[in-house]
């Protein structure tokens, strides 16, 4: 009975989170706050992917901004074209060069179906090629982390440097509608929130299923003893590759939803600093736990937008200290506290005395 | 001819800067396994030391020479503090040192933003460096030659210390076999601290040289850190010659690609080339071969 209860606990948690996001939040929050919460949900999607690769797979991805950008720019390009209407050319391009035709790679993004397909296909292709090359050559640990960060830096530099095609540092903005729904209408913005929150819950369900599958066991085994996994006849590179690709898709979807919510996409939202910001929530919440990354990312997102509005400098200190303190004192994040607490609770529930008597008698 | 000479010389100077920055990393990352993301902010500390010295000393001719040793000590001291407060807790968790020092880097950057003017500070080039050398018709700024000589001096000094002094032997012993070195009476804790001091100090020296060439603002460290890490990774750990070659190649190829395309595209191309290179040689150019699986 207890084991069945235990195995369904994560599902109950997901249901509780879904209830909080889809029913409670829209009922109590104002339009503005709901829009902010939608933004945190986008970051949380990235965080769920980082939890999968870093927490369970041991691969510290410091460049999720790359995949975030793939989704965000695909969506941004589509919404930009939708806003200027059929045959129109985005304003920033006209400002730059009134006579320039629309670049060829922009053209297909007029189609909404193509855009949605690209949001999923682009990260799969990029992450597969990259991951295949990196993992097959057994590049790992710090090397892997630095390489991914270098890619985020490279892509951010590339976008900043190609003003003509991407809007450069100013980015894409001035969107008016999202797949036919005008963005001015608060009701439509609530709809966008609902979609985002549903996608986040979807990501959580996917990761939950992965964690309880044989793949999840293999992933943890690869993290803890890669050579043993290899000796057992599995190829750790494939295991890592799957986790990396899934995380990339989640980051891309998060990026895509970020654009209608934030109303702007610029390199600042995906560069090395942003990629590190994505990790902050995961580290705080607990990288290996199911709910750690989500709750951590929501908390860090909330912290950023409330604190940084009032004292921008202070927030950076807080974030920096968070990294230092969490990595030194609490590598398992806040979730590790919860697990410890839950262990004691479960012991009390069953009537079995936990190993430390003090906790039982207290 | 000019189109070849200019990028070659400029690139070599950039490579020399990268080399001084990467030497410190090669010591701390390559030899101790610690990934110090705050290394870039130590560069910044060096550059700011150059600026502050210039404000204090009336003669700009003298201040740059004074700033070099001071920056070495300032950045080195920062490194020792970082080692004693943060890194010592996680020698067995290299990935965590990376994250913790990212936090330290953010704090240091914000401190600089809060203390110094946010648009950055200017370091005046001393008169004796404000000349051009005529190299096959190309007017080469003398300060670039200065950075190359500086890199050579740092490299020579470091190599000599590692090779000829008893302390250098202790460092190498600790790197090769920590447990055995301890058995032989080497205080590995002490060695760690001093290695960190020297590695961080080199970042300070590089910072002074960078302040002569680039703008000194809070983003200076971020600009160099990733390239410096790529140089260390591509050069291979445990040997300095790989770092030297990698720094030079990255510097010169960036200069050539910048010449042919634009600065940002050049950076992207070089990053991608390094990633491809690591496909061919995942351990970098030169590596110490072991029988270990890792």
């Amino acid at each position: 009975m207890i084991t069945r209860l235990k195995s369904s606990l994560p599902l109950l948690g997901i249901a509780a989170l879904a209830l909080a996001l889809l029913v409670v939040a829209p009922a109590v929050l104002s339009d503005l706050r709901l829009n902010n919460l939608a933004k945190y949900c986008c970051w949380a999607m990235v965080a769920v992917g980082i939890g999968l690769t870093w927490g369970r797979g041991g691969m510290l991805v410091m460049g999720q901004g790359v995949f975030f950008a793939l989704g965000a720019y695909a969506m941004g390009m589509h919404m930009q074209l939708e806003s200027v209407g059929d045959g129109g050319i985005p304003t920033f391009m006209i400002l730059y060069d009134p006579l320039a035709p629309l670049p060829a790679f922009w053209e297909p993004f007029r189609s909404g179906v193509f855009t949605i397909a690209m949001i999923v296909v682009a990260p799969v292709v990029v992450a597969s090629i990259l991951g295949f090359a990196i993992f097959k050559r057994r590049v790992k640990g710090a090397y892997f982390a630095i390489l991914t960060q270098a890619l985020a830096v490279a892509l951010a530099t590339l976008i900043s440097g190609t003003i003509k095609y991407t809007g450069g540092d100013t980015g894409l903005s001035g969107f008016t509608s999202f797949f036919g729904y005008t963005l001015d209408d608060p009701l439509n913005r609530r709809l966008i929130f609902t979609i985002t929150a549903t996608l986040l819950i979807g990501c959580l369900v996917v990761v939950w299923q992965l964690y309880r599958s044989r793949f999840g066991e293999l992933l943890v085994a690869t993290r803890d003893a890669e050579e043993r996994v290899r000796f057992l006849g599995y190829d750790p590179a494939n295991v890592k590759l799957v986790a990396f690709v899934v995380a990339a898709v989640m980051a891309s979807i998060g990026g895509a939803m970020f654009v209608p919510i934030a109303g702007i996409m610029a390199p600042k939202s995906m560069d090395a600093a942003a990629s590190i910001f994505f990790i902050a929530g995961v580290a705080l919440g607990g990288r290996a736990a199911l709910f750690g990354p989500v709750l951590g990312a929501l908390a860090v997102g909330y912290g950023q937008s409330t604190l940084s509005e009032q004292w921008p400098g202070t927030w950076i200190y807080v974030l920096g200290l968070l990294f230092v303190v969490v990595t030194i004192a609490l590598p398992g994040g806040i979730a590790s506290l919860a697990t410890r607490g839950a262990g004691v609770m479960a012991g009390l529930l069953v009537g079995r005395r936990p190993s430390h008597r003090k906790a039982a008698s207290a | 001819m000019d189109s070849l000479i200019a990028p070659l010389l400029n690139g070599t100077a950039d490579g020399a800067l990268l080399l001084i920055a990467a030497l410190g990393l090669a010591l701390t990352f390559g030899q101790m396994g610690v990934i110090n993301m705050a290394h870039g902010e130590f560069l910044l500390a060096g550059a700011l030391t150059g600026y502050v010295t210039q404000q204090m000393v009336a003669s700009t001719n003298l201040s740059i020479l004074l700033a070099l040793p001071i920056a070495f000590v300032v950045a080195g001291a920062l490194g020792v503090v970082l080692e004693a407060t943060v890194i010592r807790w996680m020698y067995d968790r290299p990935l965590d040192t990376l994250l913790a020092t990212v936090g330290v880097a953010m704090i240091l950057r914000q401190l600089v933003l809060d203390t110094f003017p946010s648009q950055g500070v200017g370091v005046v080039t001393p008169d004796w460096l404000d000349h051009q050398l005529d190299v096959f018709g190309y007017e080469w700024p003398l300060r670039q030659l200065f950075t190359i000589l500086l890199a050579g001096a740092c490299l020579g000094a470091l190599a000599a210390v590692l090779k000829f002094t008893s302390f250098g032997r202790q460092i190498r012993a600790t790197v090769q076999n920590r447990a055995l070195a301890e058995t032989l009476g080497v205080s590995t804790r002490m060695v760690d601290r001093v290695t960190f001091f020297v590695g961080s100090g080199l970042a300070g020296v590089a910072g002074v040289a960078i302040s002569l060439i680039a703008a000194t603002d809070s983003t200076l460290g971020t600009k160099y850190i990733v390239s410096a890490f790529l140089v260390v990774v591509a050069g291979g750990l445990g040997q300095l010659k790989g770092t030297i070659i990698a720094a030079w190649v990255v510097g010169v190829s960036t200069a050539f690609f910048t010449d042919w395309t634009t600065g940002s595209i050049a950076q992207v191309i070089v990053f991608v080339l390094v990633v491809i290179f690591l496909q061919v040689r995942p351990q970098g150019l030169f590596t110490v071969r072991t029988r270990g699986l890792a």
Side-chain angles (χ1 to χ4, degrees), chain A residues 69-83 90 102-122 165 172 179:
Chain A
L70 285 180
Y73 274 92
M75 181 65 93
M77 276 150 61
H78 173 69
M79 287 175 64
Q80 192 98 75
L81 290 172
E82 194 186 321
S83 305
L102 194 67
F105 75 95
W106 272 69
E107 201 59 57
F109 285 96
R110 283 196 198 280
S111 147
V113 178
F114 178 81
T115 305
I116 293 176
M118 280 315 279
I119 289 168
V120 178
V121 173
Y165 306 114
L172 305 176
F179 291 91

mmCIF file of all heavy atoms in Angstrom, chain A residues 69-83 90 102-122 165 172 179:
data_model
loop_
_atom_site.group_PDB
_atom_site.id
_atom_site.type_symbol
_atom_site.label_atom_id
_atom_site.label_comp_id
_atom_site.label_asym_id
_atom_site.label_seq_id
_atom_site.Cartn_x
_atom_site.Cartn_y
_atom_site.Cartn_z
ATOM 1 N N ALA A 69 16.993 30.186 -27.894
ATOM 2 C CA ALA A 69 16.998 31.136 -29.010
ATOM 3 C C ALA A 69 16.389 30.515 -30.259
ATOM 4 O O ALA A 69 15.666 31.183 -31.001
ATOM 5 C CB ALA A 69 18.418 31.595 -29.293
ATOM 6 N N LEU A 70 16.657 29.228 -30.498
ATOM 7 C CA LEU A 70 16.094 28.584 -31.694
ATOM 8 C C LEU A 70 14.577 28.709 -31.689
ATOM 9 O O LEU A 70 13.962 29.145 -32.670
ATOM 10 C CB LEU A 70 16.498 27.108 -31.745
ATOM 11 C CG LEU A 70 17.928 26.799 -32.154
ATOM 12 C CD1 LEU A 70 18.150 25.293 -32.137
ATOM 13 C CD2 LEU A 70 18.237 27.366 -33.530
ATOM 14 N N GLY A 71 13.961 28.326 -30.554
ATOM 15 C CA GLY A 71 12.514 28.409 -30.472
ATOM 16 C C GLY A 71 12.035 29.848 -30.504
ATOM 17 O O GLY A 71 11.081 30.194 -31.203
ATOM 18 N N ALA A 72 12.732 30.701 -29.745
ATOM 19 C CA ALA A 72 12.280 32.083 -29.605
ATOM 20 C C ALA A 72 12.369 32.822 -30.941
ATOM 21 O O ALA A 72 11.442 33.543 -31.313
ATOM 22 C CB ALA A 72 13.118 32.798 -28.549
ATOM 23 N N TYR A 73 13.459 32.634 -31.655
ATOM 24 C CA TYR A 73 13.586 33.362 -32.917
ATOM 25 C C TYR A 73 12.648 32.809 -33.984
ATOM 26 O O TYR A 73 12.153 33.567 -34.819
ATOM 27 C CB TYR A 73 15.043 33.413 -33.383
ATOM 28 C CG TYR A 73 15.776 34.578 -32.766
ATOM 29 C CD1 TYR A 73 16.473 34.438 -31.581
ATOM 30 C CD2 TYR A 73 15.705 35.850 -33.328
ATOM 31 C CE1 TYR A 73 17.106 35.510 -30.978
ATOM 32 C CE2 TYR A 73 16.329 36.939 -32.740
ATOM 33 C CZ TYR A 73 17.030 36.766 -31.566
ATOM 34 O OH TYR A 73 17.633 37.835 -30.973
ATOM 35 N N ALA A 74 12.396 31.488 -33.965
ATOM 36 C CA ALA A 74 11.411 30.943 -34.901
ATOM 37 C C ALA A 74 10.055 31.606 -34.658
ATOM 38 O O ALA A 74 9.412 32.118 -35.583
ATOM 39 C CB ALA A 74 11.311 29.425 -34.735
ATOM 40 N N MET A 75 9.660 31.624 -33.367
ATOM 41 C CA MET A 75 8.380 32.238 -33.026
ATOM 42 C C MET A 75 8.403 33.732 -33.316
ATOM 43 O O MET A 75 7.445 34.289 -33.878
ATOM 44 C CB MET A 75 8.100 31.984 -31.539
ATOM 45 C CG MET A 75 6.806 32.550 -31.050
ATOM 46 S SD MET A 75 5.400 31.756 -31.822
ATOM 47 C CE MET A 75 5.051 30.462 -30.642
ATOM 48 N N GLY A 76 9.513 34.383 -32.954
ATOM 49 C CA GLY A 76 9.622 35.824 -33.164
ATOM 50 C C GLY A 76 9.502 36.188 -34.634
ATOM 51 O O GLY A 76 8.809 37.139 -35.001
ATOM 52 N N MET A 77 10.150 35.408 -35.493
ATOM 53 C CA MET A 77 10.089 35.685 -36.922
ATOM 54 C C MET A 77 8.667 35.525 -37.433
ATOM 55 O O MET A 77 8.167 36.351 -38.202
ATOM 56 C CB MET A 77 11.052 34.761 -37.679
ATOM 57 C CG MET A 77 12.469 35.298 -37.702
ATOM 58 S SD MET A 77 13.770 34.067 -37.772
ATOM 59 C CE MET A 77 13.485 33.226 -39.234
ATOM 60 N N HIS A 78 8.005 34.448 -36.969
ATOM 61 C CA HIS A 78 6.626 34.229 -37.415
ATOM 62 C C HIS A 78 5.721 35.381 -36.967
ATOM 63 O O HIS A 78 4.956 35.928 -37.765
ATOM 64 C CB HIS A 78 6.093 32.906 -36.869
ATOM 65 C CG HIS A 78 4.640 32.702 -37.144
ATOM 66 N ND1 HIS A 78 4.161 32.485 -38.415
ATOM 67 C CD2 HIS A 78 3.559 32.732 -36.327
ATOM 68 C CE1 HIS A 78 2.848 32.371 -38.362
ATOM 69 N NE2 HIS A 78 2.453 32.516 -37.122
ATOM 70 N N MET A 79 5.826 35.744 -35.695
ATOM 71 C CA MET A 79 4.933 36.786 -35.181
ATOM 72 C C MET A 79 5.225 38.132 -35.817
ATOM 73 O O MET A 79 4.319 38.928 -36.060
ATOM 74 C CB MET A 79 5.055 36.869 -33.660
ATOM 75 C CG MET A 79 4.393 35.691 -32.979
ATOM 76 S SD MET A 79 4.630 35.677 -31.209
ATOM 77 C CE MET A 79 3.779 37.159 -30.748
ATOM 78 N N GLN A 80 6.506 38.367 -36.106
ATOM 79 C CA GLN A 80 6.883 39.608 -36.776
ATOM 80 C C GLN A 80 6.228 39.684 -38.159
ATOM 81 O O GLN A 80 5.655 40.700 -38.538
ATOM 82 C CB GLN A 80 8.406 39.661 -36.927
ATOM 83 C CG GLN A 80 8.919 41.015 -37.351
ATOM 84 C CD GLN A 80 9.414 41.818 -36.169
ATOM 85 O OE1 GLN A 80 10.488 41.549 -35.643
ATOM 86 N NE2 GLN A 80 8.629 42.765 -35.730
ATOM 87 N N LEU A 81 6.290 38.568 -38.885
ATOM 88 C CA LEU A 81 5.707 38.551 -40.230
ATOM 89 C C LEU A 81 4.193 38.630 -40.165
ATOM 90 O O LEU A 81 3.553 39.269 -41.003
ATOM 91 C CB LEU A 81 6.145 37.285 -40.968
ATOM 92 C CG LEU A 81 7.625 37.257 -41.355
ATOM 93 C CD1 LEU A 81 8.008 35.907 -41.909
ATOM 94 C CD2 LEU A 81 7.932 38.353 -42.360
ATOM 95 N N GLU A 82 3.622 37.974 -39.148
ATOM 96 C CA GLU A 82 2.174 38.020 -39.000
ATOM 97 C C GLU A 82 1.721 39.451 -38.698
ATOM 98 O O GLU A 82 0.678 39.904 -39.185
ATOM 99 C CB GLU A 82 1.766 37.084 -37.861
ATOM 100 C CG GLU A 82 0.276 36.778 -37.829
ATOM 101 C CD GLU A 82 -0.088 35.973 -36.605
ATOM 102 O OE1 GLU A 82 0.683 35.085 -36.218
ATOM 103 O OE2 GLU A 82 -1.156 36.250 -36.030
ATOM 104 N N SER A 83 2.556 40.170 -37.901
ATOM 105 C CA SER A 83 2.174 41.525 -37.514
ATOM 106 C C SER A 83 2.196 42.492 -38.693
ATOM 107 O O SER A 83 1.421 43.443 -38.724
ATOM 108 C CB SER A 83 3.111 42.049 -36.428
ATOM 109 O OG SER A 83 3.132 41.157 -35.349
ATOM 110 N N PRO A 90 9.343 43.279 -42.039
ATOM 111 C CA PRO A 90 9.467 43.808 -40.675
ATOM 112 C C PRO A 90 10.069 45.212 -40.663
ATOM 113 O O PRO A 90 10.937 45.542 -41.463
ATOM 114 C CB PRO A 90 10.408 42.809 -40.005
ATOM 115 C CG PRO A 90 10.234 41.546 -40.756
ATOM 116 C CD PRO A 90 9.887 41.930 -42.152
ATOM 117 N N LEU A 102 12.791 40.492 -48.335
ATOM 118 C CA LEU A 102 12.813 39.643 -47.146
ATOM 119 C C LEU A 102 13.859 38.545 -47.353
ATOM 120 O O LEU A 102 13.866 37.885 -48.396
ATOM 121 C CB LEU A 102 11.430 39.022 -46.957
ATOM 122 C CG LEU A 102 11.172 38.373 -45.608
ATOM 123 C CD1 LEU A 102 11.148 39.412 -44.511
ATOM 124 C CD2 LEU A 102 9.874 37.605 -45.653
ATOM 125 N N PRO A 103 14.768 38.338 -46.361
ATOM 126 C CA PRO A 103 15.766 37.278 -46.533
ATOM 127 C C PRO A 103 15.070 35.929 -46.759
ATOM 128 O O PRO A 103 14.007 35.675 -46.185
ATOM 129 C CB PRO A 103 16.525 37.274 -45.207
ATOM 130 C CG PRO A 103 16.249 38.593 -44.591
ATOM 131 C CD PRO A 103 14.917 39.058 -45.100
ATOM 132 N N ALA A 104 15.697 35.078 -47.561
ATOM 133 C CA ALA A 104 15.054 33.830 -47.968
ATOM 134 C C ALA A 104 14.690 32.958 -46.769
ATOM 135 O O ALA A 104 13.650 32.304 -46.761
ATOM 136 C CB ALA A 104 15.970 33.067 -48.915
ATOM 137 N N PHE A 105 15.544 32.956 -45.722
ATOM 138 C CA PHE A 105 15.253 32.035 -44.620
ATOM 139 C C PHE A 105 14.104 32.542 -43.753
ATOM 140 O O PHE A 105 13.582 31.809 -42.921
ATOM 141 C CB PHE A 105 16.515 31.773 -43.788
ATOM 142 C CG PHE A 105 16.933 32.873 -42.874
ATOM 143 C CD1 PHE A 105 16.531 32.864 -41.542
ATOM 144 C CD2 PHE A 105 17.740 33.919 -43.308
ATOM 145 C CE1 PHE A 105 16.916 33.867 -40.682
ATOM 146 C CE2 PHE A 105 18.128 34.919 -42.451
ATOM 147 C CZ PHE A 105 17.711 34.909 -41.144
ATOM 148 N N TRP A 106 13.679 33.797 -43.949
ATOM 149 C CA TRP A 106 12.518 34.311 -43.217
ATOM 150 C C TRP A 106 11.216 33.819 -43.846
ATOM 151 O O TRP A 106 10.232 33.604 -43.163
ATOM 152 C CB TRP A 106 12.515 35.841 -43.218
ATOM 153 C CG TRP A 106 13.275 36.456 -42.100
ATOM 154 C CD1 TRP A 106 14.622 36.429 -41.928
ATOM 155 C CD2 TRP A 106 12.746 37.197 -40.990
ATOM 156 N NE1 TRP A 106 14.958 37.107 -40.785
ATOM 157 C CE2 TRP A 106 13.831 37.589 -40.190
ATOM 158 C CE3 TRP A 106 11.452 37.564 -40.610
ATOM 159 C CZ2 TRP A 106 13.668 38.330 -39.020
ATOM 160 C CZ3 TRP A 106 11.288 38.313 -39.454
ATOM 161 C CH2 TRP A 106 12.399 38.685 -38.656
ATOM 162 N N GLU A 107 11.251 33.679 -45.171
ATOM 163 C CA GLU A 107 10.027 33.453 -45.947
ATOM 164 C C GLU A 107 9.150 32.321 -45.399
ATOM 165 O O GLU A 107 7.958 32.527 -45.168
ATOM 166 C CB GLU A 107 10.412 33.212 -47.418
ATOM 167 C CG GLU A 107 9.301 33.446 -48.413
ATOM 168 C CD GLU A 107 8.746 34.872 -48.386
ATOM 169 O OE1 GLU A 107 9.516 35.844 -48.563
ATOM 170 O OE2 GLU A 107 7.527 34.998 -48.157
ATOM 171 N N PRO A 108 9.709 31.109 -45.159
ATOM 172 C CA PRO A 108 8.829 30.012 -44.718
ATOM 173 C C PRO A 108 8.159 30.288 -43.376
ATOM 174 O O PRO A 108 7.129 29.672 -43.072
ATOM 175 C CB PRO A 108 9.760 28.804 -44.629
ATOM 176 C CG PRO A 108 11.121 29.277 -44.886
ATOM 177 C CD PRO A 108 11.085 30.660 -45.377
ATOM 178 N N PHE A 109 8.714 31.204 -42.583
ATOM 179 C CA PHE A 109 8.140 31.440 -41.261
ATOM 180 C C PHE A 109 6.830 32.216 -41.319
ATOM 181 O O PHE A 109 6.214 32.473 -40.300
ATOM 182 C CB PHE A 109 9.155 32.153 -40.356
ATOM 183 C CG PHE A 109 10.232 31.231 -39.875
ATOM 184 C CD1 PHE A 109 11.448 31.152 -40.532
ATOM 185 C CD2 PHE A 109 10.016 30.389 -38.792
ATOM 186 C CE1 PHE A 109 12.436 30.283 -40.105
ATOM 187 C CE2 PHE A 109 11.002 29.515 -38.362
ATOM 188 C CZ PHE A 109 12.212 29.454 -39.023
ATOM 189 N N ARG A 110 6.397 32.587 -42.524
ATOM 190 C CA ARG A 110 5.047 33.140 -42.655
ATOM 191 C C ARG A 110 4.015 32.095 -42.264
ATOM 192 O O ARG A 110 2.941 32.423 -41.779
ATOM 193 C CB ARG A 110 4.803 33.564 -44.110
ATOM 194 C CG ARG A 110 5.464 34.875 -44.476
ATOM 195 C CD ARG A 110 4.892 35.416 -45.757
ATOM 196 N NE ARG A 110 5.769 36.427 -46.356
ATOM 197 C CZ ARG A 110 5.809 37.687 -45.952
ATOM 198 N NH1 ARG A 110 5.032 38.092 -44.978
ATOM 199 N NH2 ARG A 110 6.635 38.538 -46.524
ATOM 200 N N SER A 111 4.358 30.827 -42.495
ATOM 201 C CA SER A 111 3.418 29.745 -42.193
ATOM 202 C C SER A 111 3.497 29.365 -40.714
ATOM 203 O O SER A 111 4.581 29.097 -40.188
ATOM 204 C CB SER A 111 3.749 28.538 -43.070
ATOM 205 O OG SER A 111 3.455 27.357 -42.375
ATOM 206 N N GLY A 112 2.350 29.359 -40.058
ATOM 207 C CA GLY A 112 2.313 28.995 -38.650
ATOM 208 C C GLY A 112 2.684 27.544 -38.423
ATOM 209 O O GLY A 112 3.384 27.214 -37.467
ATOM 210 N N VAL A 113 2.230 26.672 -39.320
ATOM 211 C CA VAL A 113 2.512 25.246 -39.173
ATOM 212 C C VAL A 113 4.012 24.996 -39.259
ATOM 213 O O VAL A 113 4.601 24.286 -38.434
ATOM 214 C CB VAL A 113 1.773 24.442 -40.268
ATOM 215 C CG1 VAL A 113 2.108 22.968 -40.146
ATOM 216 C CG2 VAL A 113 0.278 24.672 -40.156
ATOM 217 N N PHE A 114 4.647 25.638 -40.265
ATOM 218 C CA PHE A 114 6.091 25.490 -40.430
ATOM 219 C C PHE A 114 6.807 25.962 -39.159
ATOM 220 O O PHE A 114 7.731 25.304 -38.671
ATOM 221 C CB PHE A 114 6.565 26.302 -41.641
ATOM 222 C CG PHE A 114 8.049 26.239 -41.859
ATOM 223 C CD1 PHE A 114 8.627 25.162 -42.509
ATOM 224 C CD2 PHE A 114 8.873 27.263 -41.404
ATOM 225 C CE1 PHE A 114 9.997 25.104 -42.700
ATOM 226 C CE2 PHE A 114 10.237 27.208 -41.590
ATOM 227 C CZ PHE A 114 10.802 26.134 -42.239
ATOM 228 N N THR A 115 6.357 27.099 -38.608
ATOM 229 C CA THR A 115 6.996 27.656 -37.413
ATOM 230 C C THR A 115 6.922 26.667 -36.257
ATOM 231 O O THR A 115 7.926 26.375 -35.608
ATOM 232 C CB THR A 115 6.309 28.973 -37.017
ATOM 233 O OG1 THR A 115 6.341 29.842 -38.137
ATOM 234 C CG2 THR A 115 7.001 29.620 -35.844
ATOM 235 N N ILE A 116 5.707 26.134 -36.021
ATOM 236 C CA ILE A 116 5.555 25.192 -34.904
ATOM 237 C C ILE A 116 6.427 23.961 -35.128
ATOM 238 O O ILE A 116 7.084 23.465 -34.206
ATOM 239 C CB ILE A 116 4.071 24.802 -34.739
ATOM 240 C CG1 ILE A 116 3.295 26.031 -34.273
ATOM 241 C CG2 ILE A 116 3.917 23.662 -33.753
ATOM 242 C CD1 ILE A 116 1.816 25.817 -34.153
ATOM 243 N N ALA A 117 6.490 23.504 -36.386
ATOM 244 C CA ALA A 117 7.340 22.356 -36.682
ATOM 245 C C ALA A 117 8.798 22.684 -36.390
ATOM 246 O O ALA A 117 9.513 21.883 -35.774
ATOM 247 C CB ALA A 117 7.172 21.935 -38.142
ATOM 248 N N MET A 118 9.223 23.877 -36.802
ATOM 249 C CA MET A 118 10.629 24.240 -36.606
ATOM 250 C C MET A 118 10.978 24.360 -35.128
ATOM 251 O O MET A 118 12.104 24.056 -34.723
ATOM 252 C CB MET A 118 10.923 25.577 -37.310
ATOM 253 C CG MET A 118 11.148 25.469 -38.795
ATOM 254 S SD MET A 118 12.224 24.114 -39.245
ATOM 255 C CE MET A 118 13.799 24.872 -38.934
ATOM 256 N N ILE A 119 10.016 24.810 -34.324
ATOM 257 C CA ILE A 119 10.298 24.976 -32.895
ATOM 258 C C ILE A 119 10.713 23.636 -32.287
ATOM 259 O O ILE A 119 11.518 23.579 -31.368
ATOM 260 C CB ILE A 119 9.061 25.569 -32.172
ATOM 261 C CG1 ILE A 119 8.895 27.031 -32.576
ATOM 262 C CG2 ILE A 119 9.178 25.442 -30.668
ATOM 263 C CD1 ILE A 119 7.584 27.630 -32.159
ATOM 264 N N VAL A 120 10.181 22.540 -32.835
ATOM 265 C CA VAL A 120 10.555 21.221 -32.330
ATOM 266 C C VAL A 120 11.709 20.622 -33.141
ATOM 267 O O VAL A 120 12.656 20.071 -32.577
ATOM 268 C CB VAL A 120 9.331 20.276 -32.349
ATOM 269 C CG1 VAL A 120 9.729 18.891 -31.880
ATOM 270 C CG2 VAL A 120 8.230 20.839 -31.486
ATOM 271 N N VAL A 121 11.644 20.764 -34.478
ATOM 272 C CA VAL A 121 12.628 20.084 -35.322
ATOM 273 C C VAL A 121 14.010 20.727 -35.205
ATOM 274 O O VAL A 121 15.019 20.018 -35.086
ATOM 275 C CB VAL A 121 12.155 20.094 -36.802
ATOM 276 C CG1 VAL A 121 13.248 19.553 -37.698
ATOM 277 C CG2 VAL A 121 10.892 19.274 -36.939
ATOM 278 N N ALA A 122 14.061 22.060 -35.198
ATOM 279 C CA ALA A 122 15.367 22.730 -35.173
ATOM 280 C C ALA A 122 16.218 22.296 -33.978
ATOM 281 O O ALA A 122 17.372 21.891 -34.168
ATOM 282 C CB ALA A 122 15.185 24.246 -35.206
ATOM 283 N N TYR A 165 19.465 40.780 -40.461
ATOM 284 C CA TYR A 165 18.599 39.597 -40.515
ATOM 285 C C TYR A 165 17.868 39.323 -39.209
ATOM 286 O O TYR A 165 16.812 38.712 -39.196
ATOM 287 C CB TYR A 165 19.424 38.366 -40.887
ATOM 288 C CG TYR A 165 20.202 38.548 -42.160
ATOM 289 C CD1 TYR A 165 21.581 38.575 -42.154
ATOM 290 C CD2 TYR A 165 19.535 38.707 -43.381
ATOM 291 C CE1 TYR A 165 22.287 38.755 -43.327
ATOM 292 C CE2 TYR A 165 20.233 38.902 -44.549
ATOM 293 C CZ TYR A 165 21.616 38.923 -44.526
ATOM 294 O OH TYR A 165 22.303 39.118 -45.679
ATOM 295 N N LEU A 172 13.897 41.354 -31.867
ATOM 296 C CA LEU A 172 12.591 41.408 -32.527
ATOM 297 C C LEU A 172 11.560 41.883 -31.514
ATOM 298 O O LEU A 172 11.527 41.393 -30.385
ATOM 299 C CB LEU A 172 12.203 40.018 -33.038
ATOM 300 C CG LEU A 172 13.208 39.327 -33.950
ATOM 301 C CD1 LEU A 172 12.736 37.924 -34.289
ATOM 302 C CD2 LEU A 172 13.419 40.121 -35.219
ATOM 303 N N PHE A 179 -0.784 33.932 -33.673
ATOM 304 C CA PHE A 179 -1.600 32.972 -34.413
ATOM 305 C C PHE A 179 -3.046 33.469 -34.566
ATOM 306 O O PHE A 179 -3.999 32.749 -34.290
ATOM 307 C CB PHE A 179 -1.581 31.597 -33.750
ATOM 308 C CG PHE A 179 -0.233 30.934 -33.867
ATOM 309 C CD1 PHE A 179 0.717 31.100 -32.885
ATOM 310 C CD2 PHE A 179 0.099 30.176 -34.982
ATOM 311 C CE1 PHE A 179 1.966 30.514 -33.001
ATOM 312 C CE2 PHE A 179 1.344 29.592 -35.100
ATOM 313 C CZ PHE A 179 2.283 29.762 -34.110
#
